Amino acid sequence: MLRASFRKEGNAVWISHLDLMRVLQRAFRRAGIDLKHSQGFTPHPELSIALPMSVGISSDCELVDFTPAEGVELDPAEVPARLNPVLPAGLTVTDCWAEGRKLKHLVWLEARLTLVYDDGVPDGAAEAIQALLDRPELVVEKHGKKGPVEVDIRPMYRDVRLKREPDPAHPREDALTLTLVCAAQNPTLNPLLLPAAIERYAPEYRPDFTRCRRLRVLDAELEAFR
Amino acid sequence: MNAEIERRLERILPTVQKPARYVGGEYNQTVKDLAEVDTRVVFCFPDTYEIGMSNVGIRILYEAVNNMPGVWCERAFTPWGDMEEAMRANHIPLYALESHDPLADFDLIPISVGYEMSYTNILTMLDLAGIPLHASERKSLHNIVFAGGACTYNPEPLAEFFDFFSLGEGEESTVEIVNCYRSAKRAGLTKDEFLHEVAKIPGVYVPSFYEHRYNPDGTLAQIVPLHGAPAKVTKRIVQSLDAAVFPTKPIVPSTEIIHDRVNLEVMRGCIRGCRFCQAGYTYRPVRPRLPETLYRQAVDSLESSGDHEITLSSLSTSDYKFLEPLTDRMTDYCAARHIGLSVPSLRADNFSRDLMLKLQRVKKSGLTFAPEAGTQRLRDAINKNVTEEDILKTCEIAFSGGWNNVKLYFMLGLPTETDEDVLGIADLVFKILNTWKAHASNKKRGVRIHVATAFFVPKPFTGFQWEQQITPEEYLRRARLLKNSMFSKSVEYDYHDDRVSEMEAVFARGDRRLGPVIEAAWRRGAKLDGWLEYFDYDKWQAALRDCGIDPSFYTTRGFGLDEVLPWDTIDPGVRKDFLKRERERAYRSEITPDCRHGCAGCGANCLLEGGVCDA
């Protein structure tokens, strides 16, 4: 099994998790990398993407695991250069290596939220939001399978930092940049629940729009996960 | 990328279903440097991205136009209702997927119209783009809106919305049209002067050059060509499919579409001549591609797209003369690479065990056959030259080869159909079930027989173009009769919506008086009418009432054999006297042999240089 990390940004952020599998399966074919196929009625190339992500979120640290077909000699170092020319715009493989750690050790995700205020960041917004997110408990409404449920998301994130600073891709916007470390799985925290919490508890600081980017994947000790 | 549209899109895309279909950026899309582009074209498809990107015609023409230096061709599709609403609320005009520039920025706006129930989507797209709906309101050379596709064989209901129609195959004529436009733009012609120039291109029909006059009883009295326009406009064909442009670097959608695979067109036209089938008549003459060309195109397309499935398409692929040598080579290539090979539109009378085995080397897909009618008498009347023995033999081969899933398509309401013919469908299905019992290789897995019936819609340029459609009530009675005659749990039956098919029939043979009906229905909110979740019969009924139109004039009335037909200006190659002969033979339940067993003299051969078909 090999593992590659890739960026997902620009218009590629609208590709859903399932569609991304198709996109990557086809890209491997175009790159001439034959993957191991599943057995059965409709054989398909085996490939798995860690931590499914909602559409609209960009990422610097997506992971895909794949297994070359039997007899295929593949130097992982070559993989980015072979895949990148055949990927649609917005997807870029940054690295590839063998023997990745077990995914259960992927515990935390570092993420960045850009809170965009069309009429300028309100005075005191950064302080108020910081104070809100540092409360000992933060209950939000989550849409579960059985309808809306109230969940305390406070244990699912840490290290919140806020700065009045625009998104690097949109330097002219007036925005707050919020970085945090959030739970990657069991259960995962959708970082977009944070603006929902702001709307509920501090509606005067509700951003007009929130952009989200995954920055790094981390293990339980907050070390980089590979 | 258009920055303002980009900024607004970012905010609405998280709120709509399947946003990937609205952003473009797919692998193999064409992006050109605007500094080197003098003419911008946006190919529009009046249905969703998933349907439009599955259309081979659009892909071919995208390639043909983008092969022209200085011309950039982009794409636009109809947004789903949630996206349309969000776009309107946020003042986002309809934009092209490649550049995200608004459609109003484009010179030429060709729209591919293949289905009557997509007519309102044309208005949605123009309106979302801020482009006036009627040709007469578009005064300048900017935003020339024209159409091609199957529905343009009777374009009259759409006449007021389009500047002109491009009839038949567009590989060459579209390039000629674009060049004509470029010269007109350079020479500073008015729109009217341009229309006179473009009308000189064979296959181009300018509806405003014709006046339609009606009799007091509502039938057409006369079609008068104006400004020296020709009495007939003949559709275009390409002489050699091997030389014709074919996209071997197909766009690879980043989201799943309906036909999510390489689509290789093995031939054009059909040798059969089923009397209800518009495509069977209008795609004539039959022209095959050579297997060498196809194999090369297949390999190039598969390698460039990375697709893991390829389909050999045509109106009747098992009639493709070189099917065996082609599938021999293709299966070897495909099996070695886990690529599925599928052959749709198989006929029950020439299905072979060999072909079946080849097709299941990688992936076993379902089997679909279209006997169309339940009795031999009616199958003869519609010229579907398939016998019960053929069907049962084919099923026997399939069941003994391990298939346990068969789909069967029929039509209800065909001319001369009686209850005996309807019950004949149930009888045939019962025999197929017995064939499975006798020959199944593995009975434990059970069998699924899926039966579907469509409501017969008489179409222009068919042997049945004059026929009456039965009423929706009568269609439903026949459907229930059939449903109550099939008892097995292994048989699943569903039938097409009666009301959609009724509306389809109105517009298929409609005239210019229906343009206002389309607009009225659209203004009442009709949209995406091909989708049952949107189709709203009441809106259409109200629109017909608004315009004082009785739909039965176009459906159950039937057209007189000597009546002037709205589509009489158009010449698809096949002659009217031939169609009349086919109609007479139908009433005598007399078959017409396929093109390989003797030329029936349809007239389409006249479109070929040399005048001889290679059926």
Side-chain angles (χ1 to χ4, degrees):
Chain A
M1 202 254 325
L2 298 180
R3 176 170 292 162
S5 66
F6 63 96
R7 283 203 302 269
K8 190 184 185 210
E9 58 196 343
N11 280 322
V13 303
W14 307 109
I15 304 174
S16 69
H17 178 72
L18 276 180
D19 283 337
L20 188 59
M21 305 265 287
R22 307 173 49 259
V23 166
L24 293 179
Q25 284 166 352
R26 282 167 172 73
F28 274 103
R29 248 185 214 291
R30 296 195 288 263
I33 300 172
D34 196 10
L35 296 183
K36 181 173 174 245
H37 275 66
S38 65
Q39 302 292 307
F41 204 64
T42 48
H44 55 272
E46 283 181 26
L47 182 142
S48 79
I49 302 168
L51 309 183
M53 186 162 66
S54 309
V55 291
I57 299 179
S58 60
S59 174
D60 290 326
C61 57
E62 294 306 284
L63 298 175
V64 56
D65 290 348
F66 59 95
T67 308
E70 226 166 290
V72 171
E73 290 286 324
L74 183 64
D75 176 0
E78 281 179 12
V79 169
R82 285 179 68 177
L83 276 176
N84 285 335
V86 295
L87 282 170
L91 295 177
T92 316
V93 176
T94 49
D95 199 359
C96 181
W97 60 94
E99 285 149 28
R101 290 174 70 186
K102 283 209 164 68
L103 284 175
K104 66 176 181 192
H105 299 300
L106 198 177
V107 177
W108 296 103
L109 264 171
E110 189 185 328
R112 180 181 71 218
L113 295 178
T114 309
L115 311 179
V116 185
Y117 297 87
D118 291 339
D119 300 321
V121 177
D123 286 338
E127 299 71 16
I129 294 171
Q130 183 82 52
L132 170 68
L133 300 182
D134 286 344
R135 283 184 190 178
E137 191 186 79
L138 192 67
V139 175
V140 297
E141 194 179 87
K142 232 181 114 173
H143 293 278
K145 278 183 189 131
K146 289 176 191 160
V149 278
E150 298 272 296
V151 194
D152 177 16
I153 57 170
R154 188 61 192 90
M156 292 152 74
Y157 66 85
R158 51 185 290 177
D159 304 341
V160 174
R161 280 197 308 271
L162 271 149
K163 251 199 259 176
R164 184 165 183 166
E165 190 177 88
D167 186 329
H170 300 80
R172 281 187 311 203
E173 274 173 0
D174 193 9
L176 289 179
T177 294
L178 187 165
T179 54
L180 79 168
V181 170
C182 56
Q185 43 188 348
N186 306 319
T188 178
L189 174 71
N190 180 351
L192 291 174
L193 286 174
L194 296 182
I198 298 172
E199 178 153 11
R200 178 162 174 179
Y201 297 105
E204 63 275 34
Y205 301 119
R206 184 185 72 88
D208 291 298
F209 180 67
T210 304
R211 222 173 270 128
C212 179
R213 191 174 184 100
R214 287 179 174 176
L215 302 176
R216 289 197 304 152
V217 277
L218 308 169
D219 65 12
E221 281 72 47
L222 300 178
E223 295 296 322
F225 174 88
R226 273 173 67 83
Chain B
M1 289 279 172
N2 190 296
E4 187 47 37
I5 288 184
E6 220 60 7
R7 199 185 69 82
R8 295 184 199 173
L9 263 185
E10 186 187 31
R11 299 204 180 178
I12 65 165
L13 288 174
T15 68
V16 302
Q17 292 175 51
K18 303 185 195 166
R21 55 189 166 170
Y22 302 121
V23 294
E26 309 94 318
Y27 185 71
N28 274 342
Q29 73 167 9
T30 299
V31 173
K32 292 193 181 182
D33 178 358
L34 275 181
E36 287 160 23
V37 168
D38 58 65
T39 304
R40 297 187 72 180
V41 181
V42 56
F43 247 104
C44 294
F45 192 89
D47 211 313
T48 62
Y49 176 90
E50 292 90 325
I51 305 271
M53 285 305 294
S54 303
N55 181 288
V56 192
I58 284 262
R59 287 171 174 266
I60 292 175
L61 296 180
Y62 182 81
E63 173 90 3
V65 177
N66 277 323
N67 283 346
M68 302 172 75
V71 184
W72 183 13
C73 179
E74 307 185 36
R75 296 161 294 149
F77 302 90
T78 312
W80 193 245
D82 59 346
M83 181 63 173
E84 183 194 336
E85 209 174 293
M87 287 171 75
R88 290 189 191 277
N90 291 275
H91 310 289
I92 301 174
L94 188 64
Y95 54 89
L97 289 185
E98 282 76 358
S99 63
H100 291 196
D101 282 334
L103 256 62
D105 288 0
F106 286 73
D107 295 298
L108 289 167
I109 306 178
I111 305 186
S112 173
V113 194
Y115 181 37
E116 291 82 2
M117 299 318 289
S118 70
Y119 289 175
T120 52
N121 300 340
I122 297 167
L123 302 191
T124 301
M125 293 180 81
L126 290 175
D127 182 63
L128 264 180
I131 294 170
L133 302 184
H134 304 98
S136 59
E137 299 166 294
R138 298 187 296 265
K139 309 279 186 199
S140 77
L141 211 51
H142 194 59
N143 294 156
I144 295 291
V145 182
F146 66 101
C151 285
T152 57
Y153 285 111
N154 176 24
E156 298 309 329
L158 296 172
E160 62 186 84
F161 308 115
F162 286 95
D163 296 310
F164 60 89
F165 296 97
S166 167
L167 308 176
E169 297 164 9
E171 282 98 334
E172 292 159 359
S173 59
T174 310
V175 172
E176 293 163 27
I177 289 164
V178 174
N179 277 330
C180 176
Y181 179 86
R182 295 169 98 183
S183 318
K185 202 167 136 181
R186 267 197 303 271
L189 298 192
T190 63
K191 179 175 171 184
D192 199 47
E193 288 165 332
F194 164 67
L195 289 179
H196 279 92
E197 285 307 306
V198 82
K200 292 177 189 161
I201 297 173
V204 171
Y205 166 60
V206 181
S208 56
F209 290 177
Y210 298 82
E211 191 191 320
H212 284 215
R213 294 185 187 151
Y214 299 94
N215 292 312
D217 68 357
T219 55
L220 255 183
Q222 207 187 354
I223 299 174
V224 186
L226 311 169
H227 319 297
K232 290 252 179 206
V233 181
T234 306
K235 76 158 189 205
R236 288 288 291 272
I237 63 161
V238 293
Q239 294 291 327
S240 159
L241 281 187
D242 290 291
V245 54
F246 184 82
T248 50
K249 288 189 167 60
I251 295 176
V252 187
S254 300
T255 183
E256 193 173 357
I257 59 169
I258 307 290
H259 295 299
D260 206 7
R261 55 190 81 97
V262 170
N263 202 321
L264 202 63
E265 188 194 16
V266 298
M267 64 173 174
R268 235 168 247 182
C270 178
I271 62 170
R272 299 287 171 168
C274 298
R275 291 179 180 129
F276 55 84
C277 178
Q278 187 185 44
Y281 289 112
T282 56
Y283 281 77
R284 291 180 179 209
V286 172
R287 285 146 298 154
R289 270 199 173 92
L290 291 172
E292 296 74 35
T293 313
L294 288 167
Y295 182 77
R296 202 184 60 240
Q297 290 172 342
V299 171
D300 288 352
S301 308
L302 286 166
E303 285 181 358
S304 165
S305 66
D307 277 329
H308 51 262
E309 213 182 317
I310 182 166
T311 190
L312 305 180
S313 75
S314 77
L315 294 170
S316 179
T317 299
S318 49
D319 287 328
Y320 171 57
K321 351 181 177 175
F322 309 110
L323 190 59
E324 205 177 306
L326 178 66
T327 48
D328 279 346
R329 269 185 93 185
M330 293 277 304
T331 41
D332 287 342
Y333 177 88
C334 291
R337 292 164 181 79
H338 302 286
I339 291 168
L341 174 66
S342 62
V343 178
S345 54
L346 290 174
R347 284 184 61 91
D349 54 357
N350 58 10
F351 178 87
S352 73
R353 192 183 178 83
D354 253 22
L355 180 62
M356 182 188 78
L357 292 173
K358 271 191 260 181
L359 294 182
Q360 56 176 331
R361 268 174 70 182
V362 173
K363 179 185 160 182
K364 200 181 262 182
S365 47
L367 268 188
T368 304
F369 293 104
E372 308 291 4
T375 60
Q376 198 57 47
R377 185 204 62 80
L378 189 53
R379 282 195 296 272
D380 289 347
I382 63 175
N383 206 36
K384 184 87 195 182
N385 300 337
V386 170
T387 65
E388 182 175 295
E389 199 189 337
D390 292 332
I391 297 165
L392 296 179
K393 185 75 203 157
T394 297
C395 289
E396 182 188 322
I397 294 172
F399 293 145
S400 59
W403 258 282
N404 60 347
N405 189 348
V406 182
K407 279 190 200 161
L408 298 164
Y409 291 157
F410 296 92
M411 266 191 245
L412 291 180
L414 286 162
T416 78
E417 183 180 76
T418 63
D419 284 359
E420 194 184 321
D421 299 302
V422 177
L423 295 171
I425 296 174
D427 192 44
L428 180 62
V429 171
F430 183 66
K431 286 177 183 159
I432 291 172
L433 204 55
N434 283 337
T435 306
W436 176 78
K437 280 180 190 151
H439 299 278
S441 63
N442 181 359
K443 270 191 212 158
K444 276 189 208 120
R445 283 167 57 204
V447 64
R448 301 251 22 114
I449 302 177
H450 186 110
V451 178
T453 58
F455 181 2
F456 168 65
V457 175
K459 298 263 176 165
F461 298 115
T462 65
F464 292 153
Q465 66 173 355
W466 297 276
E467 298 310 295
Q468 300 172 333
Q469 191 185 38
I470 59 171
T471 63
E473 296 73 33
E474 174 59 14
Y475 165 71
L476 290 177
R477 188 193 66 82
R478 293 184 197 182
R480 275 192 296 267
L481 177 66
L482 176 57
K483 190 172 177 58
N484 294 335
S485 316
M486 292 187 294
F487 308 104
S488 169
K489 277 193 191 124
S490 308
V491 179
E492 208 180 310
Y493 172 51
D494 57 35
Y495 50 91
H496 278 204
D497 187 87
D498 53 313
R499 292 170 160 189
V500 173
S501 306
E502 185 196 4
M503 286 299 112
E504 216 181 295
V506 168
F507 291 99
R509 293 190 295 180
D511 52 43
R512 291 189 177 183
R513 291 170 297 190
L514 293 180
V517 176
I518 298 168
E519 190 177 338
W522 174 77
R523 291 203 185 278
R524 285 174 173 275
K527 64 170 83 167
L528 297 162
D529 300 289
W531 300 82
L532 283 182
E533 53 264 66
Y534 275 102
F535 178 74
D536 184 344
Y537 188 65
D538 295 340
K539 289 195 173 93
W540 284 100
Q541 289 303 300
L544 286 159
R545 268 197 314 275
D546 291 349
C547 302
I549 300 276
D550 175 6
S552 69
F553 180 82
Y554 304 96
T555 56
T556 54
R557 176 181 73 97
F559 285 61
L561 285 174
D562 299 319
E563 198 175 317
V564 178
L565 301 171
W567 52 95
D568 273 346
T569 317
I570 285 155
D571 174 9
V574 171
R575 281 192 303 262
K576 203 178 199 174
D577 59 346
F578 168 75
L579 296 175
K580 275 189 184 155
R581 227 158 51 222
E582 284 301 292
R583 179 183 174 278
E584 286 157 18
R585 282 169 169 261
Y587 278 97
R588 298 197 300 265
S589 298
E590 206 175 284
I591 63 161
T592 299
D594 68 63
C595 299
R596 280 185 201 145
H597 290 89
C599 174
C602 70
N605 58 315
C606 298
L607 300 170
L608 287 166
E609 287 159 11
V612 183
C613 291
D614 180 22

